Amino acid sequence: MSEPAVDVRPRRLSGRQPQVAPARLVAELVPPPRFAAARFETYRPDPQEPSQAAALAAMRGFAERLSAPPPRKGLFRRSAPARAGRPGIYLDGGFGVGKTHLLTSLWHAAPKPAGYGTFVELTHLVGALGFAGTVDALGTLRLLCVDEFELDDPGDTVLVSSLLTRLVERGVALAATSNTLPDKLGEGRFAAEDFLREIQALSQQFDAVRVDGPDYRHRDAVEAPEPLDEDVVRERVEAHPAATSDDWPTLLGHLASLHPSRYGALLDGVEAVGLTGLAAVPDQNTALRVVVLVDRLYDRSLPVFASGCPVDQIFTPEMLAGGYRKKYLRALSRLGALAREGNALR
């Protein structure tokens, strides 16, 4: 006998008011469902991009060092790791070159307890637990993986850099990724230099590893998918009991009423998302909230049925030329992939 479909009432994201306890934020510091099966063995380096095979070897080596028993110091306190090599590794590269796959593979291969979260999730955790509380919550980890380390907000960069410094002092090993802009890929170690400069006191703790190549999400489909008709969106939502349907402006207003740390819980029980009336977002604050929502959609591999403007037009040219460009380009890449998955569903 088949199990009943998940009930996601109300079938509008804008009708949901999820509550998230701080303990859940800590418990969810694990790789996203999309990468649950990612392992070093399943990473397929592009033969045309030798840096990918080199990055795989570097991450394997880092995992092996972490698994070696660390030296003891005293009876009750673990000192900073004194293994050969630095306690941190940083993957520098463009969008869709497999950095998250490698980072997730490292998490799976590393001794536990280990934590995994995006840069934004760490800032949300500090907001929920406070700085000292976050240090205590993460200070017992053997490894913390930080995906999508962002350098576009000086305050958040200093906050997370300070947090990671305290964790290294407690013996926590670190692994991080960040993105080089696509049009900067030919400029040597552009992003790596930015990263190491901005984290200042931590810079000597990281080995930087370059990962080159094209965005795999664009290898077979460079352009954004065609928007669906509004009636088609509604039909597909009705055909999927665990799908939701929201008018884009209404959803944007609802996101403004929720702390971004609750966006993941907003999607509990949801298996697909319908969006009608897609249009360019009106301001930067709204755009940044959309980035967080897209990341949570992508983490959960939720197909998107969208009508209105093409998904690659939700951020204005001015936004794409501004300081948050990396965030927006990543979001467009991910939303385009989800929309293609949605268009392929019937």
Side-chain angles (χ1 to χ4, degrees):
M1 183 175 179
S2 61
E3 296 183 359
V6 176
D7 186 356
V8 295
R9 293 192 185 96
R11 294 188 69 178
R12 294 177 295 107
L13 297 180
S14 54
R16 303 179 125 198
Q17 291 286 344
Q19 301 300 317
V20 181
R24 172 173 172 171
L25 297 177
V26 176
E28 290 183 341
L29 288 178
V30 296
R34 176 176 284 270
F35 293 95
R39 300 292 188 277
F40 289 133
E41 294 74 18
T42 60
Y43 182 72
R44 297 289 178 262
D46 186 338
Q48 304 301 315
E49 301 290 347
S51 66
Q52 294 186 11
L56 173 61
M59 293 294 270
R60 282 185 184 273
F62 192 74
E64 291 169 1
R65 287 199 283 115
L66 290 177
S67 298
R72 289 179 172 272
K73 182 179 180 181
L75 295 176
F76 304 107
R77 185 176 178 182
R78 182 158 52 92
S79 64
R83 308 173 184 87
R86 297 177 179 179
I89 190 167
Y90 162 67
L91 296 183
D92 164 35
F95 306 106
V97 296
K99 301 189 305 300
T100 297
H101 187 129
L102 289 171
L103 191 68
T104 304
S105 299
L106 172 64
W107 184 91
H108 283 291
K112 303 300 183 291
Y116 184 107
T118 64
F119 179 93
V120 170
E121 286 172 323
L122 286 185
T123 64
H124 293 164
L125 189 63
V126 174
L129 301 183
F131 186 84
T134 303
V135 172
D136 288 339
L138 304 182
T140 59
L141 299 177
R142 297 288 299 277
L143 168 71
L144 177 63
C145 297
V146 185
D147 202 14
E148 308 292 357
F149 200 105
E150 299 175 355
L151 305 175
D152 42 31
D153 187 311
D156 284 347
T157 300
V158 171
L159 173 69
V160 175
S161 179
S162 299
L163 172 64
L164 298 184
T165 298
R166 299 286 84 78
L167 294 179
V168 167
E169 291 172 352
R170 294 199 179 196
V172 180
L174 304 174
T177 73
S178 188
N179 286 323
T180 301
L181 287 172
D183 61 358
K184 298 292 185 182
L185 287 174
E187 298 185 14
R189 306 197 61 78
F190 174 81
E193 290 173 359
D194 278 2
F195 173 82
L196 296 175
R197 181 181 65 250
E198 294 296 335
I199 63 174
Q200 298 174 5
L202 269 177
S203 63
Q204 297 305 310
Q205 307 285 1
F206 281 86
D207 288 316
V209 178
R210 186 64 180 261
V211 192
D212 292 312
D215 186 337
Y216 77 91
R217 290 177 288 259
H218 292 176
R219 288 172 190 166
D220 299 320
V222 176
E223 297 181 355
E226 286 293 321
L228 300 173
D229 290 336
E230 194 165 307
D231 289 342
V232 173
V233 172
R234 294 195 180 97
E235 289 171 3
R236 295 192 180 183
V237 167
E238 287 302 317
H240 295 80
T244 60
S245 180
D246 284 88
D247 170 68
W248 182 242
T250 302
L251 178 59
L252 296 184
H254 186 58
L255 294 179
S257 71
L258 300 175
H259 190 275
S261 63
R262 297 163 66 185
Y263 290 6
L266 191 68
L267 301 171
D268 286 352
V270 176
E271 295 180 4
V273 170
L275 300 172
T276 58
L278 217 62
V281 296
D283 56 71
Q284 198 93 266
N285 288 334
T286 303
L288 293 174
R289 288 191 285 267
V290 168
V291 169
V292 178
L293 178 65
V294 170
D295 284 344
R296 300 293 81 78
L297 291 169
Y298 188 77
D299 287 346
R300 290 159 176 75
S301 300
L302 299 183
V304 171
F305 314 127
S307 70
C309 76
V311 294
D312 63 353
Q313 294 180 18
I314 62 171
F315 302 126
T316 66
E318 292 76 19
M319 291 176 181
L320 295 177
Y324 295 111
R325 185 183 177 201
K326 285 187 182 182
K327 288 178 184 279
Y328 298 148
L329 290 176
R330 183 184 77 234
L332 292 181
S333 175
R334 291 181 167 186
L335 185 56
L338 297 177
R340 282 191 289 274
E341 292 174 14
N343 282 13
L345 285 179
R346 292 293 183 270

